Coordinates of all heavy atoms in Angstrom, one line a residue:
V5 N 0.9 -1.2 0.0 CA 0.0 0.0 0.0 C 0.9 1.2 0.0 O 1.8 1.3 0.8 CB -0.9 0.0 1.2 CG1 -1.7 1.3 1.3 CG2 -1.8 -1.2 1.3
T6 N 0.6 2.2 -0.9 CA 1.4 3.4 -1.0 C 0.6 4.6 -0.4 O -0.6 4.4 -0.2 CB 1.8 3.7 -2.4 OG1 0.7 3.9 -3.2 CG2 2.7 2.6 -3.0
S7 N 1.2 5.7 -0.2 CA 0.5 6.8 0.3 C 1.1 8.0 -0.4 O 1.8 7.9 -1.4 CB 0.8 7.0 1.8 OG 2.2 7.2 2.0
E8 N 0.8 9.2 0.1 CA 1.3 10.4 -0.5 C 2.8 10.5 -0.4 O 3.5 11.1 -1.2 CB 0.7 11.7 0.2 CG -0.7 11.9 -0.1 CD -0.9 12.4 -1.5 OE1 -0.1 13.3 -2.0 OE2 -1.8 11.9 -2.2
R9 N 3.4 9.7 0.5 CA 4.9 9.7 0.7 C 5.5 8.7 -0.2 O 6.7 8.7 -0.4 CB 5.2 9.4 2.1 CG 4.7 10.5 3.1 CD 5.2 10.3 4.5 NE 6.6 10.5 4.6 CZ 7.3 11.6 4.7 NH1 6.6 12.7 4.7 NH2 8.6 11.6 4.9
G10 N 4.7 7.8 -0.8 CA 5.3 6.8 -1.7 C 5.7 5.5 -1.0 O 5.5 5.4 0.2
A11 N 6.2 4.6 -1.8 CA 6.6 3.3 -1.3 C 8.1 3.4 -1.0 O 8.9 3.8 -1.8 CB 6.4 2.2 -2.3
S12 N 8.5 2.9 0.2 CA 9.9 3.0 0.7 C 10.8 2.1 -0.2 O 10.4 0.9 -0.5 CB 10.0 2.6 2.1 OG 11.4 2.5 2.5
L13 N 11.9 2.5 -0.5 CA 12.9 1.7 -1.2 C 14.0 1.1 -0.2 O 15.0 0.5 -0.7 CB 13.6 2.5 -2.3 CG 12.7 3.0 -3.4 CD1 13.5 4.0 -4.3 CD2 12.1 1.9 -4.2
G14 N 13.7 1.3 1.1 CA 14.7 0.8 2.1 C 15.3 2.0 2.8 O 15.2 3.2 2.4
D15 N 15.9 1.7 4.0 CA 16.5 2.7 4.8 C 17.5 3.5 4.0 O 18.4 3.0 3.4 CB 17.2 2.1 6.0 CG 16.2 1.6 7.1 OD1 15.0 2.0 7.0 OD2 16.6 0.8 7.9
G16 N 17.3 4.8 4.1 CA 18.2 5.7 3.4 C 18.2 5.7 1.9 O 19.1 6.3 1.2
R17 N 17.3 5.0 1.3 CA 17.2 4.9 -0.2 C 16.1 5.7 -0.8 O 15.9 5.6 -2.0 CB 17.2 3.4 -0.5 CG 18.4 2.6 0.0 CD 18.4 1.3 -0.5 NE 18.7 1.3 -1.9 CZ 18.6 0.2 -2.7 NH1 18.2 -0.9 -2.3 NH2 18.9 0.3 -4.0
G18 N 15.3 6.4 0.0 CA 14.2 7.2 -0.6 C 13.0 6.4 -0.8 O 12.8 5.3 -0.2
S19 N 12.1 6.9 -1.7 CA 10.8 6.2 -1.9 C 10.5 6.4 -3.4 O 11.0 7.2 -4.1 CB 9.7 6.9 -1.1 OG 9.6 8.2 -1.4
L20 N 9.5 5.6 -3.8 CA 9.0 5.6 -5.2 C 7.6 6.0 -5.1 O 6.8 5.4 -4.3 CB 9.2 4.2 -5.8 CG 8.6 4.0 -7.2 CD1 9.5 4.9 -8.2 CD2 8.7 2.6 -7.6
R21 N 7.2 6.9 -6.0 CA 5.8 7.4 -6.0 C 5.3 7.5 -7.4 O 6.1 8.0 -8.3 CB 5.8 8.7 -5.3 CG 4.4 9.4 -5.2 CD 4.5 10.6 -4.4 NE 3.3 11.4 -4.4 CZ 3.1 12.5 -3.9 NH1 4.1 13.1 -3.3 NH2 2.0 13.1 -4.0
V22 N 4.1 7.1 -7.7 CA 3.6 7.2 -9.1 C 2.6 8.4 -9.0 O 1.7 8.4 -8.2 CB 2.9 5.9 -9.5 CG1 2.2 6.1 -10.9 CG2 3.9 4.8 -9.5
M23 N 2.8 9.3 -10.0 CA 1.9 10.4 -10.1 C 1.2 10.4 -11.4 O 1.8 10.2 -12.5 CB 2.6 11.7 -9.9 CG 3.3 11.9 -8.5 SD 4.2 13.4 -8.4 CE 2.9 14.6 -8.5
L24 N -0.1 10.7 -11.4 CA -0.9 10.7 -12.7 C -1.7 12.0 -12.8 O -2.2 12.5 -11.8 CB -1.8 9.5 -12.8 CG -1.2 8.1 -12.6 CD1 -2.3 7.1 -12.5 CD2 -0.3 7.9 -13.8
A25 N -1.8 12.5 -14.0 CA -2.7 13.6 -14.3 C -2.6 14.9 -13.5 O -3.6 15.5 -13.2 CB -4.2 13.1 -14.2
E26 N -1.4 15.3 -13.2 CA -1.2 16.6 -12.6 C -1.4 17.6 -13.7 O -1.0 17.5 -14.8 CB 0.3 16.7 -12.1 CG 0.5 16.0 -10.8 CD -0.3 16.5 -9.6 OE1 -0.5 17.7 -9.5 OE2 -0.7 15.6 -8.8
R27 N -2.1 18.7 -13.3 CA -2.4 19.8 -14.2 C -1.0 20.5 -14.6 O -0.2 20.7 -13.7 CB -3.3 20.8 -13.6 CG -3.5 22.1 -14.5 CD -4.6 22.9 -14.0 NE -5.8 22.2 -14.5 CZ -7.0 22.4 -14.0 NH1 -7.2 23.3 -13.0 NH2 -8.1 21.8 -14.5
L28 N -0.8 20.8 -15.9 CA 0.4 21.4 -16.3 C 0.6 22.7 -15.7 O -0.3 23.6 -15.8 CB 0.5 21.4 -17.8 CG 1.9 21.5 -18.4 CD1 2.7 20.4 -18.1 CD2 1.8 21.6 -19.9
D29 N 1.7 23.0 -15.0 CA 2.0 24.3 -14.4 C 2.0 25.4 -15.4 O 2.5 25.2 -16.5 CB 3.3 24.2 -13.7 CG 3.7 25.4 -12.8 OD1 4.1 26.4 -13.4 OD2 3.5 25.3 -11.6
E30 N 1.5 26.5 -15.0 CA 1.4 27.7 -16.0 C 2.8 28.1 -16.4 O 2.9 28.6 -17.6 CB 0.6 28.8 -15.3 CG -0.8 28.6 -15.1 CD -1.6 28.3 -16.4 OE1 -1.3 29.0 -17.4 OE2 -2.5 27.4 -16.4
R31 N 3.8 28.0 -15.6 CA 5.1 28.4 -16.0 C 5.7 27.5 -17.1 O 6.4 27.9 -18.0 CB 6.1 28.3 -14.8 CG 5.8 29.4 -13.8 CD 6.5 29.2 -12.5 NE 5.9 28.0 -11.8 CZ 6.3 27.5 -10.6 NH1 7.3 28.1 -10.0 NH2 5.7 26.5 -10.1
L32 N 5.3 26.2 -17.0 CA 5.7 25.2 -18.1 C 5.0 25.5 -19.4 O 5.5 25.5 -20.5 CB 5.5 23.8 -17.7 CG 6.4 23.3 -16.6 CD1 5.9 21.9 -16.1 CD2 7.8 23.2 -17.0
K33 N 3.7 25.8 -19.2 CA 2.9 26.2 -20.4 C 3.5 27.4 -21.2 O 3.5 27.4 -22.4 CB 1.4 26.5 -20.1 CG 0.6 25.3 -19.7 CD -0.8 25.7 -19.4 CE -1.7 24.6 -19.0 NZ -3.1 25.0 -18.7
A34 N 3.9 28.4 -20.4 CA 4.5 29.6 -21.0 C 5.9 29.3 -21.6 O 6.2 30.0 -22.6 CB 4.6 30.7 -19.9
A35 N 6.6 28.4 -21.0 CA 8.0 28.1 -21.5 C 8.1 27.2 -22.7 O 9.0 27.3 -23.6 CB 8.9 27.6 -20.4
F36 N 7.2 26.2 -22.8 CA 7.2 25.2 -23.8 C 6.0 25.4 -24.8 O 4.9 25.7 -24.4 CB 7.2 23.8 -23.2 CG 8.3 23.6 -22.2 CD1 8.1 23.1 -21.0 CD2 9.6 23.9 -22.5 CE1 9.1 22.8 -20.1 CE2 10.7 23.7 -21.6 CZ 10.4 23.2 -20.4
L37 N 6.3 25.1 -26.1 CA 5.3 25.3 -27.1 C 4.2 24.3 -27.1 O 3.1 24.6 -27.5 CB 6.0 25.4 -28.5 CG 7.0 26.5 -28.7 CD1 7.6 26.4 -30.0 CD2 6.3 27.9 -28.5
H38 N 4.5 23.1 -26.7 CA 3.5 22.0 -26.7 C 3.6 21.1 -25.5 O 4.6 21.1 -24.8 CB 3.6 21.2 -28.0 CG 5.0 20.5 -28.2 ND1 6.1 21.2 -28.6 CD2 5.3 19.3 -27.9 CE1 7.1 20.3 -28.6 NE2 6.7 19.1 -28.2
D39 N 2.6 20.3 -25.3 CA 2.6 19.3 -24.3 C 3.2 18.0 -24.8 O 2.9 17.6 -25.9 CB 1.1 19.1 -23.8 CG 1.0 18.2 -22.7 OD1 2.0 18.0 -21.9 OD2 -0.1 17.6 -22.5
C40 N 4.1 17.4 -24.0 CA 4.7 16.1 -24.4 C 5.1 15.4 -23.1 O 5.1 16.0 -22.0 CB 5.9 16.4 -25.3 SG 7.3 17.1 -24.5
P41 N 5.4 14.1 -23.2 CA 5.7 13.3 -22.0 C 6.9 13.9 -21.2 O 6.9 14.0 -20.0 CB 6.1 12.0 -22.6 CG 5.3 11.9 -23.8 CD 5.3 13.2 -24.4
D42 N 7.9 14.5 -21.9 CA 9.0 15.1 -21.2 C 8.6 16.2 -20.3 O 9.0 16.4 -19.1 CB 10.1 15.6 -22.1 CG 10.9 14.5 -22.8 OD1 10.7 13.3 -22.5 OD2 11.7 14.8 -23.6
H43 N 7.7 17.1 -20.8 CA 7.2 18.2 -20.1 C 6.3 17.8 -18.9 O 6.3 18.4 -17.8 CB 6.4 19.2 -21.0 CG 7.3 19.7 -22.1 ND1 6.8 20.2 -23.2 CD2 8.6 19.7 -22.2 CE1 7.8 20.6 -24.0 NE2 8.9 20.3 -23.5
R44 N 5.6 16.7 -19.1 CA 4.8 16.2 -18.0 C 5.7 15.6 -16.8 O 5.3 15.7 -15.7 CB 3.8 15.1 -18.5 CG 2.7 15.7 -19.4 CD 1.6 14.7 -19.7 NE 0.6 15.3 -20.4 CZ -0.4 16.0 -19.8 NH1 -0.5 16.1 -18.5 NH2 -1.3 16.6 -20.6
I45 N 6.8 15.0 -17.2 CA 7.8 14.5 -16.2 C 8.3 15.7 -15.4 O 8.4 15.7 -14.2 CB 8.9 13.7 -16.9 CG1 8.3 12.4 -17.4 CG2 10.0 13.4 -15.9 CD1 9.2 11.7 -18.4
V46 N 8.7 16.7 -16.1 CA 9.3 17.9 -15.4 C 8.2 18.5 -14.6 O 8.4 19.0 -13.5 CB 9.8 19.0 -16.5 CG1 10.2 20.3 -15.8 CG2 11.0 18.4 -17.2
N47 N 6.9 18.5 -15.1 CA 5.8 19.1 -14.3 C 5.6 18.3 -13.0 O 5.4 18.9 -11.9 CB 4.5 19.0 -15.2 CG 3.4 19.7 -14.5 OD1 3.4 20.9 -14.3 ND2 2.4 18.9 -14.2
C48 N 5.7 17.0 -13.0 CA 5.5 16.2 -11.8 C 6.7 16.5 -10.8 O 6.4 16.7 -9.6 CB 5.5 14.7 -12.1 SG 4.0 14.2 -12.8
A49 N 7.9 16.6 -11.3 CA 9.0 16.9 -10.5 C 8.8 18.4 -9.8 O 9.2 18.6 -8.7 CB 10.3 16.8 -11.2
L50 N 8.4 19.3 -10.6 CA 8.2 20.6 -10.1 C 7.1 20.6 -9.0 O 7.3 21.3 -8.0 CB 7.7 21.6 -11.3 CG 7.5 23.0 -10.9 CD1 8.8 23.7 -10.4 CD2 7.0 23.8 -12.2
H51 N 6.0 19.9 -9.3 CA 4.9 19.8 -8.3 C 5.5 19.2 -7.0 O 5.2 19.8 -5.9 CB 3.8 19.0 -8.9 CG 2.7 18.7 -7.9 ND1 1.8 19.6 -7.5 CD2 2.5 17.6 -7.1 CE1 1.0 19.1 -6.6 NE2 1.4 17.8 -6.3
L52 N 6.2 18.2 -7.1 CA 6.8 17.5 -5.9 C 7.8 18.4 -5.2 O 7.7 18.6 -3.9 CB 7.5 16.2 -6.3 CG 6.6 15.0 -6.5 CD1 7.5 13.8 -7.0 CD2 5.9 14.6 -5.2
T53 N 8.6 19.1 -5.9 CA 9.6 20.0 -5.3 C 8.9 21.1 -4.5 O 9.4 21.5 -3.4 CB 10.5 20.7 -6.4 OG1 11.2 19.6 -7.1 CG2 11.4 21.6 -5.9
E54 N 7.8 21.6 -5.0 CA 7.1 22.7 -4.3 C 6.1 22.2 -3.2 O 5.8 23.0 -2.3 CB 6.4 23.5 -5.3 CG 7.3 24.3 -6.3 CD 6.6 25.1 -7.3 OE1 5.4 24.9 -7.6 OE2 7.4 25.9 -7.9
S55 N 5.7 21.0 -3.3 CA 4.7 20.5 -2.3 C 5.3 19.6 -1.2 O 4.7 19.5 -0.2 CB 3.6 19.7 -3.0 OG 4.1 18.5 -3.6
V56 N 6.4 19.0 -1.4 CA 7.1 18.2 -0.4 C 8.3 18.9 0.1 O 9.4 18.7 -0.4 CB 7.5 16.8 -1.0 CG1 8.0 15.9 0.0 CG2 6.3 16.1 -1.7
K57 N 8.0 19.7 1.2 CA 9.1 20.6 1.7 C 10.1 19.8 2.6 O 11.2 20.2 2.8 CB 8.5 21.7 2.4 CG 7.7 22.6 1.6 CD 8.5 23.3 0.5 CE 7.7 24.3 -0.3 NZ 8.4 24.9 -1.4
D58 N 9.6 18.7 3.2 CA 10.5 18.0 4.2 C 11.4 17.0 3.6 O 12.1 16.3 4.3 CB 9.6 17.4 5.3 CG 8.7 16.3 4.7 OD1 8.2 16.4 3.5 OD2 8.4 15.3 5.4
R59 N 11.4 16.8 2.3 CA 12.2 15.8 1.6 C 12.8 16.4 0.4 O 12.3 17.2 -0.3 CB 11.4 14.6 1.2 CG 10.7 14.0 2.5 CD 9.9 12.8 2.1 NE 10.9 11.7 2.1 CZ 10.6 10.4 1.9 NH1 9.3 10.1 1.6 NH2 11.5 9.5 1.9
A60 N 14.0 15.9 0.0 CA 14.7 16.3 -1.2 C 14.0 15.6 -2.4 O 13.7 14.4 -2.3 CB 16.2 15.9 -1.1
V61 N 13.8 16.3 -3.4 CA 13.3 15.7 -4.7 C 14.3 15.8 -5.7 O 14.9 16.9 -6.0 CB 12.0 16.5 -5.1 CG1 11.5 16.0 -6.5 CG2 10.9 16.4 -4.1
V62 N 14.7 14.6 -6.3 CA 15.7 14.6 -7.4 C 15.1 13.8 -8.6 O 14.6 12.7 -8.4 CB 17.0 13.8 -6.9 CG1 18.0 13.8 -8.0 CG2 17.5 14.5 -5.6
L63 N 15.2 14.5 -9.7 CA 14.7 13.8 -11.0 C 15.9 13.1 -11.6 O 16.9 13.7 -11.8 CB 14.2 14.9 -11.9 CG 13.8 14.4 -13.3 CD1 12.7 13.4 -13.3 CD2 13.4 15.6 -14.2
V64 N 15.8 11.8 -11.7 CA 16.9 11.0 -12.2 C 16.5 10.5 -13.6 O 15.5 9.8 -13.7 CB 17.2 9.8 -11.3 CG1 18.4 9.0 -11.8 CG2 17.6 10.3 -9.9
T65 N 17.3 10.8 -14.6 CA 17.0 10.4 -16.0 C 18.2 10.3 -16.8 O 19.2 11.1 -16.6 CB 15.9 11.3 -16.6 OG1 15.7 10.9 -18.0 CG2 16.4 12.8 -16.6
K66 N 18.2 9.5 -17.8 CA 19.3 9.4 -18.8 C 19.1 10.5 -19.9 O 20.0 10.8 -20.6 CB 19.3 8.0 -19.5 CG 19.6 6.8 -18.6 CD 20.9 6.8 -18.1 CE 22.0 6.6 -19.1 NZ 23.4 6.8 -18.5
D67 N 17.9 11.1 -19.9 CA 17.7 12.1 -20.9 C 18.2 13.5 -20.6 O 17.8 14.2 -19.7 CB 16.2 12.2 -21.1 CG 15.7 13.0 -22.3 OD1 16.3 14.0 -22.6 OD2 14.7 12.6 -22.9
T68 N 19.3 13.9 -21.3 CA 19.9 15.2 -21.0 C 19.0 16.3 -21.2 O 19.0 17.3 -20.4 CB 21.1 15.3 -22.0 OG1 22.0 14.2 -21.9 CG2 21.9 16.6 -21.7
N69 N 18.1 16.3 -22.2 CA 17.2 17.4 -22.4 C 16.2 17.6 -21.2 O 15.9 18.7 -20.8 CB 16.4 17.2 -23.7 CG 17.3 17.3 -24.9 OD1 18.2 18.1 -24.9 ND2 17.0 16.6 -26.0
V70 N 15.7 16.5 -20.7 CA 14.8 16.5 -19.5 C 15.6 17.1 -18.3 O 15.1 18.0 -17.6 CB 14.2 15.2 -19.2 CG1 13.5 15.2 -17.9 CG2 13.3 14.7 -20.3
R71 N 16.8 16.7 -18.1 CA 17.6 17.2 -17.0 C 17.8 18.7 -17.2 O 17.7 19.5 -16.2 CB 19.0 16.5 -16.9 CG 18.9 15.1 -16.4 CD 20.2 14.5 -16.0 NE 21.3 14.7 -16.9 CZ 21.6 13.8 -17.9 NH1 20.9 12.7 -18.0 NH2 22.6 14.1 -18.7
T72 N 18.1 19.2 -18.4 CA 18.3 20.6 -18.6 C 17.1 21.4 -18.4 O 17.1 22.4 -17.7 CB 18.8 20.8 -20.1 OG1 20.0 20.0 -20.2 CG2 19.1 22.3 -20.4
K73 N 15.9 20.9 -18.9 CA 14.7 21.6 -18.7 C 14.3 21.6 -17.2 O 13.9 22.7 -16.7 CB 13.5 20.9 -19.4 CG 13.7 21.1 -20.9 CD 12.6 20.2 -21.7 CE 12.8 20.4 -23.2 NZ 11.8 19.6 -23.9
A74 N 14.5 20.5 -16.5 CA 14.3 20.5 -15.0 C 15.1 21.5 -14.3 O 14.6 22.3 -13.5 CB 14.5 19.1 -14.5
R75 N 16.4 21.6 -14.6 CA 17.3 22.5 -13.9 C 16.9 24.0 -14.2 O 17.1 24.8 -13.4 CB 18.7 22.3 -14.4 CG 19.3 21.0 -13.8 CD 20.7 20.7 -14.2 NE 21.2 19.4 -13.7 CZ 22.0 18.6 -14.4 NH1 22.5 19.0 -15.5 NH2 22.3 17.5 -13.8
A76 N 16.3 24.2 -15.4 CA 15.9 25.6 -15.7 C 14.8 26.0 -14.8 O 14.6 27.2 -14.6 CB 15.4 25.6 -17.2
F77 N 14.0 25.1 -14.2 CA 13.0 25.4 -13.3 C 13.4 25.2 -11.8 O 12.5 25.1 -10.9 CB 11.7 24.6 -13.6 CG 11.0 25.1 -14.8 CD1 11.3 24.6 -16.1 CD2 10.1 26.1 -14.7 CE1 10.7 25.1 -17.2 CE2 9.4 26.6 -15.8 CZ 9.7 26.1 -17.1
G78 N 14.7 25.0 -11.6 CA 15.2 24.9 -10.2 C 15.0 23.5 -9.6 O 15.1 23.4 -8.4
I79 N 14.8 22.5 -10.5 CA 14.6 21.1 -10.0 C 16.0 20.4 -10.0 O 16.7 20.4 -11.0 CB 13.6 20.4 -10.9 CG1 12.3 21.1 -10.9 CG2 13.5 18.9 -10.4 CD1 11.4 20.6 -12.0
T80 N 16.3 19.8 -8.9 CA 17.6 19.0 -8.9 C 17.4 17.8 -9.8 O 16.4 17.1 -9.7 CB 17.9 18.6 -7.4 OG1 17.9 19.7 -6.6 CG2 19.2 17.8 -7.4
S81 N 18.3 17.6 -10.7 CA 18.3 16.5 -11.6 C 19.6 15.9 -11.8 O 20.7 16.6 -11.6 CB 17.6 16.9 -12.9 OG 18.5 17.8 -13.6
E82 N 19.7 14.6 -12.0 CA 21.0 13.9 -12.2 C 20.8 12.7 -13.2 O 19.7 12.2 -13.4 CB 21.6 13.5 -10.9 CG 20.8 12.5 -10.1 CD 21.4 12.2 -8.8 OE1 21.7 13.1 -8.0 OE2 21.5 11.0 -8.4
D83 N 21.9 12.4 -13.8 CA 22.0 11.2 -14.7 C 21.9 9.9 -13.9 O 22.4 9.8 -12.7 CB 23.3 11.3 -15.5 CG 23.4 10.3 -16.6 OD1 22.4 9.6 -16.9 OD2 24.4 10.2 -17.2
Y84 N 21.3 8.9 -14.5 CA 21.3 7.6 -13.9 C 22.6 7.0 -14.3 O 22.9 6.7 -15.5 CB 20.1 6.8 -14.5 CG 20.1 5.4 -14.0 CD1 19.6 5.1 -12.7 CD2 20.5 4.3 -14.8 CE1 19.6 3.8 -12.2 CE2 20.5 3.0 -14.3 CZ 20.0 2.7 -13.0 OH 20.0 1.5 -12.6
I85 N 23.5 6.7 -13.3 CA 24.9 6.2 -13.7 C 25.2 4.8 -13.3 O 26.3 4.3 -13.5 CB 25.9 7.2 -13.0 CG1 25.8 7.2 -11.5 CG2 25.8 8.6 -13.6 CD1 26.8 8.0 -10.8
R86 N 24.2 4.1 -12.7 CA 24.5 2.7 -12.2 C 25.0 1.8 -13.4 O 25.7 0.9 -13.1 CB 23.3 2.2 -11.6 CG 23.5 0.8 -10.9 CD 22.4 0.5 -10.0 NE 22.5 -0.8 -9.4 CZ 23.1 -1.0 -8.2 NH1 23.6 0.0 -7.5 NH2 23.2 -2.2 -7.7
D87 N 24.5 2.0 -14.6 CA 24.8 1.1 -15.7 C 26.1 1.5 -16.4 O 26.4 0.8 -17.4 CB 23.7 0.9 -16.6 CG 23.3 2.2 -17.3 OD1 23.8 3.3 -16.9 OD2 22.5 2.2 -18.3
K88 N 26.8 2.5 -16.0 CA 28.0 2.9 -16.7 C 29.2 2.0 -16.3 O 29.3 1.6 -15.2 CB 28.4 4.4 -16.4 CG 27.4 5.3 -17.1 CD 27.9 6.8 -16.9 CE 26.9 7.7 -17.6 NZ 27.3 9.1 -17.4
V89 N 30.0 1.8 -17.3 CA 31.2 1.0 -17.1 C 32.4 1.9 -17.0 O 32.6 2.7 -17.9 CB 31.4 -0.1 -18.2 CG1 32.7 -0.8 -18.0 CG2 30.2 -1.0 -18.3
E90 N 33.2 1.8 -16.0 CA 34.4 2.6 -15.8 C 35.5 2.0 -16.6 O 35.8 0.7 -16.6 CB 34.8 2.8 -14.4 CG 33.8 3.6 -13.6 CD 34.4 4.0 -12.3 OE1 35.6 4.2 -12.1 OE2 33.5 4.1 -11.4
S91 N 36.3 2.8 -17.4 CA 37.4 2.3 -18.2 C 38.7 2.3 -17.4 O 38.9 3.1 -16.5 CB 37.5 3.0 -19.5 OG 37.7 4.4 -19.2

């Protein structure tokens, strides 16, 4: 069973939460010409960043464009690096 806080991933590992149908933030509508899945992802992260004050929100994605857009709105974002091989 999940709640507004999401499902725990274990001690110190954060939580996982599924969000559906958040209304697109007016700032995103003004900045982007059209609605697309990337913008909805940034929208969810923005909503969480502003509504969950007691926890850090980090958007993790391999998509450089999504990370850049998120950072433009003050959202902490980072690359998923677990699958990289060090040379």
Side-chain angles (χ1 to χ4, degrees):
V5 176
T6 62
S7 67
E8 286 292 316
R9 297 186 66 82
S12 175
L13 297 174
D15 286 341
R17 299 186 72 192
S19 63
L20 177 67
R21 181 176 173 185
V22 176
M23 297 180 64
L24 303 171
E26 284 296 324
R27 174 168 282 161
L28 201 60
D29 188 279
E30 291 300 321
R31 293 167 289 181
L32 290 172
K33 284 182 183 179
F36 303 130
L37 298 176
H38 63 279
D39 185 20
C40 71
D42 287 357
H43 300 160
R44 291 190 176 273
I45 292 167
V46 173
N47 187 64
C48 285
L50 181 61
H51 173 75
L52 281 174
T53 298
E54 294 177 347
S55 66
V56 182
K57 298 294 185 188
D58 63 328
R59 304 183 82 179
V61 175
V62 180
L63 174 60
V64 180
T65 178
K66 297 295 292 174
D67 191 319
T68 304
N69 292 327
V70 170
R71 289 195 310 270
T72 302
K73 290 174 183 179
R75 288 179 185 145
F77 284 92
I79 301 165
T80 302
S81 63
E82 61 185 51
D83 190 5
Y84 178 77
I85 58 172
R86 186 165 177 95
D87 63 346
K88 288 188 178 179
V89 177
E90 291 190 33
S91 57

